[in-house]
Amino acid sequence: MRGGRAVSVLVRGWRRDWQQRSKLERIDLYSRMTVSTMPWFFTLAWQVAPFKSDIRHDPLPLLLGLALLIVSLAQCLLSNHNIRLAYRHYLGKAVFPRHRRLPPLALVLVSLGLLAVLVGVDGVSDAGLLLMVINTPMAFATTQTLLVPVRTFLLQSLGFAALGVGVLAAAGVRGGPLGGVALTALFGSAIVLVSVRPSAWSLGVMWQAEEARDLQARLAVAEERLRFGRDMHDVLGRNLAVIALKSELAAELAQRGRPEAVDQMVEVQRIARTSQQEVRDVVRGYREADLSTELAGARGVLSAAGIECEVRGATGGELPAPVQAALGWVVREAATNVLRHGDPRHCTIRIGSSADEVVLQVENDGVAAAPDGTAGGLGGSGLAGLRERLRALEGSLDAGPAGDGLFRLTATIPLSGTETRTPSRTKPGAGAEGAGAEVTAGTEEARVVPGPAGPTALREERR
């Protein structure tokens, strides 16, 4: 009973680990596992089969055959031990130490020597000899083909075939069987070359594409930071320079007792308030989400990740600006969750509107458990923030599994009176308790009201 539970826990752990991997990581793991099992398969097929009828059933031939089998299994273990580092060497992420190539090579030479002794005591038939010759270099060649260029590997294969022919000829093999030894040795190396090398090449191309996508994303973020920095410089650069000059002038006038110093400081105060409002406008524009832009961005990002994305319905150009902004945030967060949770192949975004309401649905076929244990990230803080945005427009948000392996997010916003309602905006990192100074600018009055987080409770009023 306990053994069954342990196996069940182990299987669930493997399944959970598999589901948490990306598509590329799954392909990588599958390729490595396939290559790792190849030497074992060939050893069981070509080293064990001769025991039935090809190896003479006498103590010495059977002992030599068993020794050959043990050496072949040791080669398989060494190959599995080296295959991960060999892949990293091929991908340029690590260097395979030269000293780790010597034990597999030594085992190959030992196998060839045992095979020659087996032939010398007339303990194996020609058919069994050819099978064991094919298997002799398989485990060693599996890693070697990843460590050297193709031309070098071919030359090494020719050298091994020539060595095998020489050793077995010295052991007494003649005529057709000797030619078969050369052909089967080359055939075994060719099987490894056409099986392992293309698999590693495909993995290298896919990892390069993944790194290129990551680099593109980082460049996009850096470009957006530069753009925001340029906007802030354009807004504040001139005004800060004027404030600095007028402050110096006011200080000079104050030292001389001139009343014009007050006028200069009033002008500095006006420019500072204007700059504050301009910065707020830049930040507000930077944080606004445009629906059509977010739809295009979601389609591009999901397509780049290998997820087919389809947008159905209008792009929202006829909707009020507050509704477009709120739905834009919904599309952005939904696209992020599709990439972050599950492993979907298709994603559909539907937008439908009537005279009373607008409904946006984001549906994908990648239902999976989020890190917090909820389906599709239903309990995450991102969706909670979306609900707050939609609540300001009297809207609602529903998210959860929709059956048939689908996950659906639905945002609904009523259109009646939306033109007069705007969602509340909050400064980044500031809540109701930590708001900074509030600016109310008019033609005749401007107030600076520091909030509770301000250094003082000063209210300065100028009429």
Side-chain angles (χ1 to χ4, degrees):
M1 188 68 178
R2 292 180 179 178
R5 289 181 179 177
V7 172
S8 177
V9 171
L10 184 62
V11 172
R12 284 199 300 268
W14 285 344
R15 183 173 180 270
R16 183 165 54 252
D17 179 69
W18 176 262
Q19 289 180 339
Q20 290 176 351
R21 294 176 181 269
S22 66
K23 291 181 178 179
L24 182 54
E25 289 174 338
R26 293 180 184 181
I27 295 174
D28 185 282
L29 179 61
Y30 171 78
S31 300
R32 295 173 192 267
M33 292 295 295
T34 302
V35 172
S36 297
T37 57
M38 279 179 52
W40 297 94
F41 174 79
F42 291 132
T43 296
L44 294 177
W46 294 338
Q47 200 70 42
V48 176
F51 278 92
K52 183 177 181 180
S53 59
D54 294 310
I55 295 179
R56 185 159 51 88
H57 289 186
D58 287 337
L60 182 57
L62 288 176
L63 183 61
L64 291 172
L66 181 60
L68 267 172
L69 179 59
I70 293 174
V71 172
S72 296
L73 294 177
Q75 288 188 69
C76 293
L77 289 173
L78 274 179
S79 176
N80 289 171
H81 177 66
N82 292 333
I83 193 66
R84 181 179 180 85
L85 185 56
Y87 262 104
R88 290 178 60 82
H89 178 93
Y90 178 84
L91 298 175
K93 298 181 179 179
V95 177
F96 195 90
R98 290 184 177 273
H99 65 84
R100 291 182 64 168
R101 305 187 191 188
L102 297 179
L105 179 59
L107 290 178
V108 171
L109 297 178
V110 170
S111 296
L112 193 57
L114 289 173
L115 196 57
V117 175
L118 186 61
V119 171
V121 298
D122 195 22
V124 62
S125 66
D126 292 341
L129 173 64
L130 296 181
L131 285 178
M132 289 188 283
V133 167
I134 294 177
N135 182 68
T136 299
M138 295 295 289
F140 173 72
T142 299
T143 53
Q144 189 67 11
T145 188
L146 298 174
L147 302 178
V148 297
V150 175
R151 180 179 299 179
T152 303
F153 180 79
L154 292 176
L155 292 175
Q156 291 176 352
S157 300
L158 288 173
F160 174 78
L163 178 63
V165 168
V167 170
L168 294 178
V173 180
R174 297 288 186 272
L178 192 60
V181 167
L183 292 177
T184 52
L186 292 175
F187 178 70
S189 299
I191 289 177
V192 173
L193 180 63
V194 300
S195 301
V196 178
R197 192 80 181 195
S199 172
W201 176 80
S202 300
L203 280 179
V205 171
M206 287 187 289
W207 279 116
Q208 288 176 3
E210 183 73 12
E211 291 172 357
R213 281 196 291 267
D214 291 342
L215 179 60
Q216 185 178 13
R218 289 196 296 269
L219 289 176
V221 172
E223 183 179 357
E224 183 62 18
R225 288 175 177 171
L226 289 175
R227 185 197 68 79
F228 184 71
R230 287 194 300 268
D231 291 347
M232 292 296 293
H233 179 270
D234 294 341
V235 167
L236 291 180
R238 181 184 62 85
N239 289 354
L240 290 177
V242 174
I243 288 174
L245 290 175
K246 287 186 172 292
S247 299
E248 292 177 3
L249 179 58
E252 291 287 342
L253 293 174
Q255 289 176 357
R256 299 176 183 179
R258 301 283 296 275
E260 292 88 345
V262 177
D263 296 332
Q264 294 297 327
M265 291 308 299
V266 169
E267 184 66 13
V268 167
Q269 188 181 46
R270 184 192 64 79
I271 296 174
R273 287 174 176 164
T274 302
S275 300
Q276 187 180 26
Q277 185 60 42
E278 289 176 348
V279 169
R280 185 166 296 161
D281 292 339
V282 170
V283 173
R284 182 182 298 118
Y286 180 75
R287 298 180 66 210
E288 285 290 343
D290 178 69
L291 180 57
S292 59
T293 302
E294 294 300 332
L295 288 172
R299 186 188 293 113
V301 169
L302 294 178
S303 299
I307 303 171
E308 181 181 349
C309 182
E310 180 183 4
V311 178
R312 300 178 182 176
T315 57
E318 71 282 356
L319 298 175
V323 174
Q324 286 202 53
L327 294 181
W329 282 105
V330 172
V331 171
R332 181 184 298 183
E333 180 66 22
T336 301
N337 284 348
V338 169
L339 291 173
R340 184 180 300 166
H341 307 303
D343 187 17
R345 295 187 301 273
H346 305 281
C347 179
T348 303
I349 303 176
R350 303 183 184 92
I351 303 175
S353 61
S354 62
D356 299 327
E357 65 180 12
V358 58
V359 179
L360 183 144
Q361 284 188 344
V362 182
E363 187 177 271
N364 69 87
D365 57 357
V367 175
D372 58 2
T374 57
L378 183 59
S381 59
L383 297 186
L386 290 181
R387 288 190 176 94
E388 293 179 1
R389 289 180 181 273
L390 296 179
R391 195 177 298 122
L393 298 174
E394 299 181 3
S396 62
L397 181 74
D398 295 316
D404 297 329
L406 299 177
F407 184 86
R408 182 180 300 150
L409 183 146
T410 304
T412 305
I413 300 179
L415 294 178
S416 57
T418 304
E419 294 81 357
T420 61
R421 297 194 309 271
T422 57
S424 60
R425 294 189 180 92
T426 329
K427 290 183 180 181
E433 296 296 326
E438 174 187 345
V439 175
T440 306
T443 56
E444 296 182 359
E445 179 183 77
R447 291 189 180 92
V448 178
V449 186
T456 63
L458 174 66
R459 171 175 293 182
E460 180 179 353
E461 181 174 318
R462 180 171 65 85
R463 297 185 182 275

